[in-house]
Amino acid sequence: MQPGVLRVLRATNASWWRHRELRRTGHTALAQRLERQTVLRDLGYLKQAASLPNAHVICGEGGTFLHLGWTTVSTFAPIERFPLASLAVARGTPFIDIRPVTDVIAFANLPPVARDGSVDPDHSGPGGSVSLTSYIDMVEELGASITNDPRPCRST
């Protein structure tokens, strides 16, 4: 793992309010153990983001979501204040910025991205899903911007 990634994860976890409070009250060993566990968990998320076919980060007015198949890590903050998602994007995970999308009804009616990499050929029914590349095609038509585009010949 790159030292810069570890440095960011360690700093983020050390600054978390619970860990700061544990240190302030003299529970330094517990704070360090919890920080270590959190860094290892976040490293696992980054590895999943790099290896799963439909992993992606999406950011809108409601916050930022790191979708990892059956797991989602989220915050109400924009990606600029979510270091884990920023690291995933910096390492090549597709990023869908839906903040420019104005037609929220059309966006809400889009089918979800398949969680396990499989694709439902008829995504029109309830519970149907599409591949990440199909989803990107749909949100791009609504005005979303794409970074680390996984579609052939379209990387930005």
Side-chain angles (χ1 to χ4, degrees), residues 4-156:
V5 170
L6 287 172
R7 193 174 309 116
V8 169
L9 291 177
R10 286 181 182 138
T12 301
N13 288 307
S15 69
W16 191 48
W17 70 268
R18 182 173 182 218
H19 299 156
R20 279 195 330 259
E21 186 63 18
L22 285 170
R23 286 178 188 282
R24 189 186 68 76
T25 58
H27 296 54
T28 306
L30 177 59
Q32 288 174 334
R33 190 179 85 237
L34 292 173
E35 289 166 14
R36 225 174 282 116
Q37 289 173 348
T38 307
V39 166
L40 290 173
R41 182 202 64 206
D42 289 351
L43 286 173
Y45 289 149
L46 288 174
K47 288 177 185 173
Q48 284 182 321
S51 65
L52 294 172
N54 283 348
H56 62 284
V57 174
I58 191 164
C59 180
E61 296 302 323
T64 304
F65 302 85
L66 173 57
H67 292 281
L68 303 167
W70 293 99
T71 303
T72 299
V73 184
S74 66
T75 183
F76 289 116
I79 190 166
E80 296 83 10
R81 292 195 352 237
F82 188 16
L84 180 62
S86 297
L87 286 170
V89 171
R91 297 186 71 218
T93 301
F95 173 55
I96 304 167
D97 188 352
I98 60 169
R99 291 176 285 191
V101 173
T102 56
D103 190 349
V104 293
I105 302 298
F107 176 75
N109 288 322
L110 291 177
V113 175
R115 293 176 186 240
D116 58 2
S118 64
V119 180
D120 182 0
D122 178 28
H123 60 79
S124 58
S129 57
V130 296
S131 69
L132 178 59
T133 55
S134 297
Y135 185 79
I136 288 174
D137 288 338
M138 291 183 240
V139 295
E140 195 171 49
E141 288 177 17
L142 296 174
S145 62
I146 313 300
T147 304
N148 299 332
D149 197 333
R151 299 172 293 181
C153 303
R154 294 189 182 182
S155 188
T156 56

